[in-house]
Amino acid sequence: MPNREFDLTIHPDGRVEVHVKGFPGKACLEAAKFFEETVGEMLTQQATHELYEPEEQVQYRLENRR
Amino acid sequence: MSCVCVLTPVVIAAWPSFSAAVLSAAATLGYSVATSDSSESSTRQVSLQVERSEIVTDPLGRDQRLSIFRDGVTITFSRDARGRAAICVTGLGRTDEELRTLGQELGQRVVQQYVYQRLKSEMAARQMMIVEEAVDGGHAIRLKVRQWKN
């Protein structure tokens, strides 16, 4: 299964910058909530263009076989 | 499918985990644990606080104070009357500004270490694995973390 990735930078003053990757749509913002609950207050939150991609869907293709 | 956020830490800790962060931060900056209170009457003293901190009371009433030492400067961390983490910096032949700078530098590193330890334990509980870890030239801790979907 594809994995989800987080790039964290803990600055010397304690500020934490988190880059959340691999979450479909707005689930990304929900994933960021875990870090807010663990670290403290959210200063800024910025969505990249990928956030607006559609959420994951499972597709089935049915083919007629002879 | 990605977003970036910046968080400012809030330190809510019991004394054991806070003092562990103090010791880690002290080691990174070359301080060692002070065996006795070396403050003299002629030393200057500056008092600071760790912003957004709350040290949980020890139900056993043990001493919540830890002093570290480097180059004639002693920095003592304790829990103040309001429950916040207090920093007292003393040193001979130093200006108040120098002492304040040293106290702020160490106080920030303590918060960095506290956040690092907390993130590590919380992420481990969620099966989030640190796959890369490094400290850059600016003393920032950089972590690459992966979580596999179930």
Side-chain angles (χ1 to χ4, degrees), chain A residues 4-10 12 14 16 18 20 22-23 28 34 38-39 41 43-44 46 48 50-51 56, chain B residues 1-10 108 112 115 118 126 128 138 140-147 149:
Chain A
R4 290 158 173 182
E5 209 168 270
F6 308 88
D7 285 336
L8 277 74
T9 304
I10 310 170
V16 179
V18 186
V20 182
F23 282 79
C28 188
F34 159 71
T38 304
V39 175
E41 298 164 12
L43 278 180
T44 61
Q46 190 179 0
T48 64
E50 295 167 309
L51 182 80
E56 284 180 339
Chain B
M1 285 192 282
S2 78
C3 59
V4 178
C5 56
V6 179
L7 304 145
T8 190
V10 176
Q108 289 180 341
Q112 182 193 36
V115 169
R118 183 158 164 74
R126 287 179 166 238
M128 295 162 81
I141 301 169
R142 294 184 181 275
L143 306 174
K144 190 176 279 294
V145 178
R146 288 210 179 115
Q147 183 181 39
K149 284 200 251 180

Side-chain angles (χ1 to χ4, degrees), chain B residues 9-148:
Chain B
V10 176
V11 177
I12 301 174
W15 182 256
S17 57
F18 182 75
S19 58
V22 171
L23 293 173
S24 297
T28 63
L29 291 173
Y31 288 89
S32 51
V33 176
T35 49
S36 62
D37 189 358
S38 60
S39 59
E40 299 167 19
S41 58
S42 56
T43 56
R44 299 196 71 80
Q45 181 174 311
V46 169
S47 294
L48 306 163
Q49 282 177 337
V50 176
E51 296 290 321
R52 293 179 296 276
S53 67
E54 184 183 334
I55 306 299
V56 180
T57 315
D58 183 349
L60 299 177
R62 287 175 295 204
D63 190 23
Q64 295 181 323
R65 180 176 294 269
L66 178 61
S67 294
I68 55 165
F69 178 84
R70 187 189 76 185
D71 300 333
V73 174
T74 301
I75 304 181
T76 302
F77 288 83
S78 61
R79 179 183 183 275
D80 71 11
R82 291 181 173 182
R84 285 185 290 196
I87 306 171
C88 178
V89 191
T90 58
L92 195 60
R94 304 275 189 153
T95 65
D96 286 358
E97 198 50 44
E98 285 174 323
L99 296 176
R100 183 169 287 108
T101 301
L102 289 168
Q104 284 171 341
E105 178 189 38
L106 184 60
Q108 289 180 341
R109 290 295 183 87
V110 168
V111 175
Q112 182 193 36
Q113 287 299 320
Y114 169 78
V115 169
Y116 169 67
Q117 295 296 341
R118 183 158 164 74
L119 276 170
K120 259 177 62 168
S121 65
E122 292 295 324
M123 290 192 303
R126 287 179 166 238
Q127 284 80 48
M128 295 162 81
M129 190 183 294
I130 297 173
V131 292
E132 282 178 40
E133 182 172 339
V135 178
D136 69 16
H139 306 290
I141 301 169
R142 294 184 181 275
L143 306 174
K144 190 176 279 294
V145 178
R146 288 210 179 115
Q147 183 181 39
W148 278 265

